[in-house]
Amino acid sequence: MVYADLTFSKPKQKKVTFMYKNYRNVDFKKLGSEISTLSFESTQADIHTATSDFIQKVTNIFDRNIKQHKVSFIKKSILFTLSDISLTLIKERNKLAKYRSHSYLNNVVYKNHCKLVKKAIFRDKRNSLNSEIDKYGPYKPLKKLWSQKKVVCQMNINPDEINNYYVSITTPSSVSSVTPSKPAKIRIPDNTFKISSISSFHLHSSWNKIKSKDSKQLDLLNISNWMLKISIGAPIIAEQLVKIINMSFQSKLYPELLKISKVIPIPKILDTTEPSETRPISI
């Protein structure tokens, strides 16, 4: 006779933690006074130093006035009630499923009903979440939404391998192209052009054409359109931006910080083992 002791334990719930900035309790008077009292060096060494100094000073002001908060959510499954319309469509779809193989027309009708069911369920889910947001606020429904994000596949590839692969395939030696012959009697233009300097008027007119001014999504430099919207009205900020842009035109250089982008490899297949099996997108 063999005896065994069995112990049972509940599975650990996975927590998802992320940082967010609270924009509700911002003291705009204090923020505006700090922005207006900013000072920049009158003579900058180069365009790269001027850009780095501007970004650092502006982000420091917003970091002091807008605090980051840490939020943790436990992954849960989302539950919602189906409407009568969705239940009726599901019953009709199940009836059509029995006769879908009888004819081509039945199969087409069945597929159309599947699309209608999918749209109806999505509509019920959206209405349920909207009602919960109106009742409890945005954070409780966010716990349910967070669990819907699924990992398609896992890649066991070193990021340096992916980077070296895409750098190697974009070198000039890897591209071979034949230059077409020049047509006869064609006027050869000058190989130089000149960009005139801009003023604060050009800066503000270009900024007014941007649609998503209220976007709080931070880029890789921790700057958002909302931050620029708040600070670009200050004369010191507008003057420094105009100065940086004109320095770029005169020196024929682009700031190194603004060349940085976040590249995300998107897998082409589920089991990704090689860099060539990914497609890069930059953010």
Side-chain angles (χ1 to χ4, degrees), residues 213-265:
K213 297 186 184 68
D214 296 325
S215 175
K216 297 181 178 66
Q217 182 66 38
L218 299 177
D219 58 9
L220 295 178
L221 303 175
N222 291 327
I223 291 181
S224 64
N225 288 355
W226 182 84
M227 294 166 62
L228 290 176
K229 174 186 174 182
I230 298 298
S231 57
I232 203 170
I236 185 65
I237 298 294
E239 291 175 4
Q240 186 65 14
L241 281 174
V242 170
K243 181 180 177 182
I244 290 174
I245 295 172
N246 290 333
M247 283 177 64
S248 178
F249 291 161
Q250 295 170 4
S251 61
K252 305 175 185 178
L253 295 174
Y254 195 76
E256 293 291 340
L257 284 176
L258 302 183
K259 296 180 182 179
I260 300 174
S261 63
K262 184 178 181 181
V263 178
I264 300 176

Side-chain angles (χ1 to χ4, degrees), residues 48-279:
H48 310 298
T49 307
T51 306
S52 176
D53 182 58
F54 174 81
I55 292 173
Q56 184 177 3
K57 290 184 177 179
V58 171
T59 52
N60 287 342
I61 288 178
F62 281 92
D63 289 341
R64 286 196 300 268
N65 289 273
I66 305 174
K67 302 298 183 182
Q68 280 193 345
H69 297 271
K70 185 177 181 180
V71 181
S72 298
F73 294 110
I74 298 175
K75 291 187 176 182
K76 296 180 180 179
S77 59
I78 182 169
L79 299 176
F80 59 94
T81 306
L82 292 177
S83 62
D84 295 336
I85 298 175
S86 300
L87 293 174
T88 305
L89 288 173
I90 290 173
K91 290 179 181 179
E92 293 178 357
R93 182 201 62 184
N94 294 339
K95 289 180 182 179
L96 292 171
K98 300 178 181 179
Y99 307 102
R100 61 177 298 190
S101 60
H102 292 184
S103 66
Y104 173 77
L105 182 60
N106 290 347
N107 191 25
V108 172
V109 175
Y110 170 76
K111 288 183 177 180
N112 290 334
H113 265 72
C114 288
K115 293 179 181 179
L116 293 175
V117 168
K118 188 176 181 180
K119 290 181 180 179
I121 292 175
F122 176 79
R123 186 165 54 248
D124 294 341
K125 183 177 178 180
R126 182 184 60 189
N127 294 337
S128 175
L129 287 172
N130 287 337
S131 62
E132 288 194 12
I133 288 173
D134 295 337
K135 187 176 181 180
Y136 302 108
Y139 298 109
K140 187 175 180 180
L142 184 60
K143 298 179 184 179
K144 299 181 178 182
L145 278 176
W146 196 267
S147 62
Q148 302 304 303
K149 294 186 177 181
K150 298 181 180 179
V151 179
V152 178
C153 66
Q154 294 182 353
M155 294 187 296
N156 296 322
I157 307 176
N158 190 352
D160 292 333
E161 294 182 13
I162 299 177
N163 183 56
N164 294 334
Y165 170 75
Y166 285 111
V167 169
S168 64
I169 65 174
T170 55
T171 53
S173 60
S174 63
V175 181
S176 59
S177 59
V178 179
T179 305
S181 58
K182 185 174 65 175
K185 296 181 181 180
I186 186 171
R187 180 179 174 275
I188 301 176
D190 296 333
N191 293 328
T192 59
F193 64 94
K194 184 179 179 181
I195 301 177
S196 58
S197 300
I198 68 167
S199 62
S200 298
F201 172 77
H202 299 99
L203 178 69
H204 287 289
S205 61
S206 299
W207 171 252
N208 291 332
K209 295 178 183 178
I210 296 178
K211 297 180 180 179
S212 56
K213 297 186 184 68
D214 296 325
S215 175
K216 297 181 178 66
Q217 182 66 38
L218 299 177
D219 58 9
L220 295 178
L221 303 175
N222 291 327
I223 291 181
S224 64
N225 288 355
W226 182 84
M227 294 166 62
L228 290 176
K229 174 186 174 182
I230 298 298
S231 57
I232 203 170
I236 185 65
I237 298 294
E239 291 175 4
Q240 186 65 14
L241 281 174
V242 170
K243 181 180 177 182
I244 290 174
I245 295 172
N246 290 333
M247 283 177 64
S248 178
F249 291 161
Q250 295 170 4
S251 61
K252 305 175 185 178
L253 295 174
Y254 195 76
E256 293 291 340
L257 284 176
L258 302 183
K259 296 180 182 179
I260 300 174
S261 63
K262 184 178 181 181
V263 178
I264 300 176
I266 304 299
K268 297 179 183 178
I269 59 177
L270 291 179
D271 299 327
T272 306
T273 57
E274 298 293 334
S276 59
E277 297 171 347
T278 62
R279 176 175 57 86

